[in-house]
Every structure is written in C-alpha cells, then in structure tokens.
Amino acid sequence: MFTNWGLAAAAVTMAASGLLPIHAQAPAQQSGVQSQVALKVERDGRLSVTEKVTVPEGRTVTRKAPLRVAAGDDQERVFTVSDPKVNGSGTASADDQQLLVRLDAGESTVTYSVDGAVADQGDHQDVRWQVASGWDVRIDRLTVSVVAPGRAQSITCLAGPPGSAQACGLSQIGEGGVPTAEQADLLPGERVDFSIGLPTGTVPVNARFAPTSSLGAAFALTPATGIGLIGLTVLLLAGFGLLWFARGRDAKALASDVGQVRVLADGPDGRVAFASPDGVLPGQVGTVIDEHVDVVDVTATVIDLAVRNYLWIDEVAGEQGVVDWRFVRRNPADAALTDYERAVYDSLLPAGAEQVLLSELRGNGVDLLAVRDALYSDVVDKQWFARRPDTERSRWWWIGIGVAALGVVLTVLLAFTVGHALLGLAVVIGGAALAAGARSMPARTRRGSALLEQVRGLLNYLSSVRPADIPEGDREMVFSRSLPYAVVLGQTDRWLDTFRGLDPDADGTPGLYWFGEAEQARDLNRFASRFPAFLSSLDGVLAQAGHLRSLRS
C-alpha cells in the first residue's frame, strides 16, 4: 500500500516553521461547499465521473475545468468530456476547451464521461483526471474514490495551483484495493490532479497530446507549416509577378516607334526653333517620367505659360523689403492650351484678375485639385498611359491592404484554433507586398515608352548643349523655350550656368520678354542668381495646397 502520510506530516512541520503559504497556516473562513468525486474506469478506457456537490443556501458556484492541460514545455494533454448532466439545481456543458458547471444551493449530482484519461507509461498504464479544477469558490472538503477493472498499483494526488507539486492531504490504496484521496481547504482556482497506475493492457490507451495552444506554439515553425509557408509564398509571388506582367509593366516600344529625337529644328526664315519630342509639354514630361503629378510639374507649367506669352513674371519689392513676385495676365487662355494648362492659368489668375502677387497666393491658398485631375486625364488622352496612374496605384494599394487585413483575420483564427498561424502571416506579407508594389502598377503604353526614350534624348541635350552650338540670334529663344523642361528634369542650375553670359538683345529685342522689367531682363547674370529663389518660393506656395507630391526635402 502506497500512502502520502509522510508528506502530510512534513506539511504540518513546515506550517509550524512558517515555510508554507499563509493560507496553509491559517485556513480561510469555511464556505460550506463540499465535493465527493467517484471515478470508474470503464473497460473501453472511458472514465465515468460522478460528482456530488453540496452548496450552502444563498450561494451559486461555477466550475470552469480546462480540458487542455500542460504536459511539458511544448505540448498539452487533451481531454474530451461528453454527456455532462446535472441532477439537481444547475447546468453543465462542455466544448473542446472546458467543462462548464453552474450549481445553485443544495445537493446536486454532476455526471459526465471523459475520453483521453488513459496513457501508456511503459511498465504500467496511467489513468489521470483533474477531479477538481476551475472552481470559483473555496472547497472546504473534497474526497475522491475510484474503481477499475484491474488492481491499482500506485496512486498520485497533487493539490494547489496548476503546475504545483504539493501532495494532497491524504491519498492511499485502502482495503480491497480501492484508491481514495482527500483534500481540505482548496482555494478558488486551485486544482486536484488525481491519477492511479494500472497494469499494462488493463484497458485501451486513449490519451491524446497536442502542441501547446499558446501563441508561441501557434507561430512555431513545424515541417507542415514550413512546407505550407514556402508553397504559399511561392504562389503569392508568382501571382503578383503574373499580375505585374499583365497589368503593371510598360509596353515596350520598338525602335521604329521612337524615331530620331530632334530638339533643335529649322524654323521659318532659316531660324532655329525648339521642338519638344512628340510635342510633349513640361508638365506632361514630369508625369510621364515618374507617373505622379508633382509640384515641380505645375511650376514648370507656370514658367512655360510665361515663355509662351500668356503670363508675365516680375520681381518686386514686398513688405519690409522682402522680395516678392508678380504674375500679370498678358493673353487670355485660348484653345491652344490643354485642360490642365488652363486649370493652372485659372488657379493663378481667376476670372477678372489681371495680376496677383505670389505672397497673396500664399495667404489665400491655391486649389490644385482641378490641375491634378486634368493632368492625369491628359496623359491618358494622349495615349501615354492606358489608365490614370493615380487611380491604378490607389486601386492596387487598397487591394493589397484588403489582402493584408484578410491575412490578419486568418492569422488570428489559426492562432486560436488549429495553429499554423504562420500561413496567415504569409498572406499578410503578400498583401503588404502588393500594397508596396502598387506604385509600380501604372503601365505606360507603347507610345508612352517611346516618349520616355525621347525625353531621355531631351535630357541628354539639356545636359550637354553649349551656347556655341546655337546661332547667336536664336540663343535667347532656345534658352527660354528649354528652361521649363530644364526645371522639370532637374537641370535648372546647369542650364542657368551655361547661359549666364547670354546677350538677350542679340535677337533684336531687349532682354527676356517674359520676365522682369527691362533692366532686370537684360542682365542674365542677375536673372541666373535670382531665378532659383523664385522657383523655390513658387514651389512652396503650390505645395501648401497639399494636393500634389513635393519632391523637395
């Protein structure tokens, strides 16, 4: 016969010396709740349980017994409870996570069957069940007895918080070979883990184990999740690759589509004329190159409108000596202007306004929504893009966010159910990758790709041409007509330095016809030093609208 009387005596000694917790030294006030548990090991391996519970008047008690119990660092022992019933005043139910019992005052009998209680330990079978766990009240007295088809060889009874190794107050194999145990003063949330050893082969083994259901285990990399993760990642990447190939890549232009890039052409009377490739305007250049309508695209358009005699720009002294700039209407917007150029023109000089100071625009604000929409629509109308780049980016960004959100939901569901949550994370990563790659989805048409090659030729011209390459009488015209393109292509400083020594009177007209009073316009060296400050101020005012991307830091 195996007993724990020695452990009980040691517990008494430790309590006297102050080594046990306070509740062990001074039992709490009695609750009046008592439980008698009778276990029967059936020949098929099931465990039939009968609990007689006495609840004092005016009380209602609840038991939430977990059905997944830690059995090591990375696995749990899984029990299944079936047919829970209450004979008395109360209810009982069970799912795959817990046994739930609610009892009212009086004596009630709870019955149920447990599957998964019999484990093979090599030289014997272990029959285990937590006969008390999850009570929300203190149990004054708990007794346990068990009958089995074979004679019990050993008994183990542990009481206290889950995971503790404190022995029950009494456990023994009594006369007739009946294992019994007793525990007093079981606090709320504590458990009694009761097991007996039977000879090998007494009943069928039915113990089940599963990876621990903690979040760490749900995200553990197992062979199954590893293979699934690799397969899902490859599938997502292949799908995104095919999507980009079908929707997001530029149509390749043939050499015959590009043709010869000519920036300088013979004009009337043998004069040199500036001819942009494919008739592209400065604002269109910037949008075709980076697929965005940027502040610099509008700034270059303003300069181009001045060069083409729709506006005149003048440097004036502002308040407290601060330099300001004035825009003056020269010619009304006509049919020669595109919709987006007309929108830029109207945003600077609304109907009825003949002139405006840049400082006034800063104070009143500039609405560039119409400019942005018109310029995106313009590059589609010109057949440089099949669809509006902003709409295409937005569509695929939201699709990516939706896939990522679906992945988050899938990850949570997997983490709290079957595990393998890494598969959900793969979907999250795929959605994030699609959202990040949305910027690459706008696709240029073949004509757009051809224009891109022509713009590269224009950039090469702006970075290499010298005044000596242009007849003296045509230099001021070429300088002015090329300047908006230099602005949008980031060649402003080089272009100004190259033509700093230009004589603007060589064409027979005094100074720059579109910028400044006569004396200011005739001094190209002064213009080259002042013009960058004007660009910076104009960029700042346009960026305040918040409708366009600003490329300046």
Side-chain angles (χ1 to χ4, degrees):
M1 179 176 69
F2 176 85
T3 71
N4 280 325
W5 286 109
L7 287 174
V12 172
T13 302
M14 293 176 70
S17 62
L19 297 178
L20 283 181
I22 293 176
H23 70 260
Q25 300 178 37
Q29 183 179 358
Q30 298 287 310
S31 68
V33 178
Q34 299 188 25
S35 177
Q36 301 175 31
V37 181
L39 306 177
K40 181 182 180 182
V41 182
E42 306 289 352
R43 294 190 178 277
D44 61 2
R46 289 181 300 110
L47 186 64
S48 297
V49 183
T50 301
E51 299 182 12
K52 291 184 178 180
V53 183
T54 302
V55 180
E57 290 296 327
R59 299 289 300 272
T60 298
V61 300
T62 300
R63 181 187 181 194
K64 298 179 179 178
L67 299 183
R68 300 176 71 97
V69 180
D73 293 335
D74 56 357
Q75 67 176 358
E76 296 174 324
R77 186 157 177 183
V78 181
F79 299 90
T80 301
V81 168
S82 58
D83 234 5
K85 297 177 182 177
V86 175
N87 184 7
S89 180
T91 61
S93 61
D95 56 25
D96 59 350
Q97 296 295 322
Q98 68 176 7
L99 165 65
L100 176 61
V101 179
R102 289 189 177 91
L103 301 176
D104 297 325
E107 184 176 284
S108 301
T109 300
V110 183
T111 60
Y112 53 89
S113 294
V114 179
D115 185 60
V118 183
D120 184 7
Q121 297 297 330
D123 59 347
H124 70 280
Q125 291 181 329
D126 180 76
V127 181
R128 180 179 300 272
W129 175 241
Q130 288 194 354
V131 293
S133 59
W135 285 106
D136 65 349
V137 295
R138 178 176 176 271
I139 305 298
D140 292 345
R141 183 170 180 268
L142 171 76
T143 61
V144 186
S145 64
V146 59
V147 295
R151 185 179 180 86
Q153 298 175 331
S154 62
I155 180 175
T156 303
C157 185
L158 303 176
S164 65
Q166 180 179 339
C168 295
L170 171 66
S171 59
Q172 62 180 356
I173 299 179
E175 295 182 4
V178 178
T180 61
E182 184 175 328
Q183 176 64 32
D185 301 330
L186 191 69
L187 298 181
E190 294 186 337
R191 93 319 183 195
V192 172
D193 194 346
F194 182 84
S195 67
I196 62 171
L198 296 177
T200 301
T202 301
V203 295
V205 173
N206 55 20
R208 290 177 291 123
F209 297 88
T212 180
S213 58
S214 67
L215 288 180
F219 289 92
L221 182 60
T222 64
T225 58
I227 294 174
L229 188 62
I230 293 173
L232 185 57
T233 302
V234 170
L235 182 63
L236 288 172
L237 292 178
F240 294 157
L242 290 174
L243 180 64
W244 177 83
F245 187 86
R247 295 290 301 272
R249 69 189 185 101
D250 288 349
K252 298 303 181 183
L254 303 176
S256 58
D257 295 326
V258 178
Q260 183 179 3
V261 177
R262 299 183 65 230
V263 178
L264 298 181
D266 293 333
D269 303 324
R271 296 177 64 86
V272 172
F274 176 85
S276 67
D278 203 17
V280 64
L281 298 167
Q284 297 167 338
V285 166
T287 306
V288 170
I289 288 178
D290 62 12
E291 302 159 357
H292 286 83
V293 177
D294 303 316
V295 167
V296 69
D297 302 337
V298 180
T299 299
T301 300
V302 172
I303 305 304
D304 192 50
L305 289 174
V307 170
R308 289 158 59 196
N309 252 339
Y310 288 96
L311 300 173
W312 180 61
I313 304 172
D314 185 23
E315 179 183 329
V316 297
E319 297 180 359
Q320 299 179 349
V322 177
V323 175
D324 202 349
W325 285 271
R326 177 173 55 194
F327 299 97
V328 180
R329 185 191 303 270
R330 267 195 167 171
N331 290 296
D334 54 25
L337 296 182
T338 63
D339 289 343
Y340 87 86
E341 288 179 309
R342 188 175 293 105
V344 172
Y345 186 88
D346 291 341
S347 66
L348 292 180
L349 294 170
E354 292 299 320
Q355 62 180 11
V356 66
L357 293 175
L358 188 58
S359 59
E360 294 174 345
L361 294 176
R362 181 181 292 108
N364 298 331
V366 181
D367 186 359
L368 298 178
L369 276 174
V371 175
R372 184 188 65 186
D373 291 342
L375 188 45
Y376 276 130
S377 297
D378 184 81
V379 295
V380 175
D381 293 341
K382 295 292 192 300
Q383 300 180 6
W384 293 320
F385 289 92
R387 293 166 291 275
R388 281 182 51 149
D390 60 331
T391 302
E392 198 74 357
R393 278 190 301 271
S394 179
R395 176 186 297 114
W396 289 108
W397 187 86
W398 281 111
I399 291 176
I401 293 299
V403 172
L406 179 63
V408 170
V409 174
L410 180 61
T411 301
V412 173
L413 289 177
L414 291 175
F416 289 99
T417 54
V418 299
H420 308 309
L422 286 178
L423 299 179
L425 283 183
V427 178
V428 174
I429 294 172
L434 181 58
R439 68 186 65 184
S440 300
M441 292 308 293
R444 300 179 188 87
T445 61
R446 178 180 293 183
R447 179 170 178 171
S449 295
L451 176 61
L452 192 62
E453 293 301 319
Q454 293 173 330
V455 170
R456 289 181 180 137
L458 172 60
L459 180 60
N460 180 65
Y461 158 75
L462 292 173
S463 61
S464 61
V465 70
R466 297 173 301 167
D469 300 329
I470 307 169
E472 185 176 10
D474 298 324
R475 291 172 188 171
E476 189 271 333
M477 183 275 301
V478 172
F479 166 77
S480 294
R481 289 300 309 276
S482 302
L483 183 57
Y485 296 90
V487 169
V488 80
L489 292 173
Q491 296 294 312
T492 305
D493 292 342
R494 191 266 171 192
W495 194 248
L496 293 175
D497 288 341
T498 299
F499 287 86
R500 184 181 292 270
L502 172 70
D503 178 10
D505 295 340
D507 61 353
T509 59
L512 295 178
Y513 61 92
W514 57 273
F515 188 95
E517 299 291 348
E519 291 302 319
Q520 297 177 1
R522 298 176 74 172
D523 186 351
L524 262 294
N525 190 59
R526 183 182 185 280
F527 173 82
S529 64
R530 305 296 296 168
F531 188 70
F534 164 72
L535 290 180
S536 179
S537 297
L538 181 56
D539 281 352
V541 170
L542 298 177
Q544 283 182 346
H547 302 142
L548 309 180
R549 188 178 67 166
S550 177
L551 301 182
R552 293 183 181 271
S553 58

